[in-house]
């Protein structure tokens, strides 16, 4: 229903459907938001540190600490969203390198689709870092 309404051009925004979990943005807007978030223009340093402090599963307060998946000594934080069956997005931030990578997809019928998006985002990070 979400995808059909959007494609029909009804002006329907999936954010209005389920804003507790999903917000709609294009890639440049999401990248700018993440850049500003980690650039100290949205939250205080203390709040960002609290969000980034991960528990045993790697999840903090709205952010994942993906450091274990990358090079030793590289801090990598991420956030993602998925609204099945419509859209998914993910971002990766490497604060020490000033890197923000955003990937979005209109394939979100399953977590397999989301895992493909994650793989694409990993490849983008590797390309930016090369």
């Amino acid at each position: 229903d979400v995808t059909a309404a959007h494609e029909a051009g009804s002006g329907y925004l999936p954010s209005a459907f389920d804003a507790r979990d999903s917000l709609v943005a294009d890639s440049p807007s999401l990248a700018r938001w993440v850049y500003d978030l980690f650039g100290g223009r949205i939250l205080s340093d203390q709040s960002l540190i609290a969000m980034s402090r991960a528990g045993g599963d790697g999840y903090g307060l709205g952010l994942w600490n993906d450091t274990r998946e990358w090079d030793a000594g590289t801090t990598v934080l991420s956030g993602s969203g998925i609204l099945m069956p419509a859209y998914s997005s993910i971002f990766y931030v490497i604060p020490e390198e000033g890197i923000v990578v955003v990937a979005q997809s209109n394939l979100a019928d399953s977590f397999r689709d989301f895992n493909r998006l994650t793989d694409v985002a990993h490849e983008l990070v590797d390309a930016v870092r090369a």
Side-chain angles (χ1 to χ4, degrees):
D1 292 343
V2 173
T3 301
H6 181 69
E7 289 175 355
S10 65
Y12 171 81
L13 289 176
S15 294
F17 169 73
D18 195 9
R20 68 182 165 82
D21 291 332
S22 306
L23 296 175
V24 176
D26 58 18
S27 293
S29 298
L30 180 57
R32 178 60 188 238
W33 165 254
V34 174
Y35 183 81
D36 286 346
L37 176 66
F38 283 87
R41 289 175 281 287
I42 307 291
L43 296 175
S44 68
D45 289 343
Q46 294 83 3
S47 292
L48 191 56
I49 289 168
M51 285 180 67
S52 304
R53 190 173 296 125
D57 63 353
Y59 188 71
L61 297 172
L63 296 172
W64 287 95
N65 186 325
D66 293 317
T67 300
R68 294 173 291 181
E69 296 183 30
W70 302 81
D71 304 335
T74 302
T75 300
V76 180
L77 302 168
S78 70
S80 61
I82 185 168
L83 177 61
M84 284 192 227
Y87 311 98
S88 58
S89 64
I90 189 164
F91 68 80
Y92 287 105
V93 176
I94 304 176
E96 293 87 3
E97 298 177 31
I99 293 174
V100 173
V101 169
V102 170
Q104 294 184 304
S105 174
N106 63 351
L107 295 175
D109 287 332
S110 68
F111 283 103
R112 183 177 41 134
D113 292 333
F114 182 72
N115 289 338
R116 286 187 202 140
L117 180 65
T118 301
D119 292 342
V120 168
H122 273 244
E123 290 177 24
L124 289 171
V125 170
D126 289 342
V128 170
R129 294 182 77 205

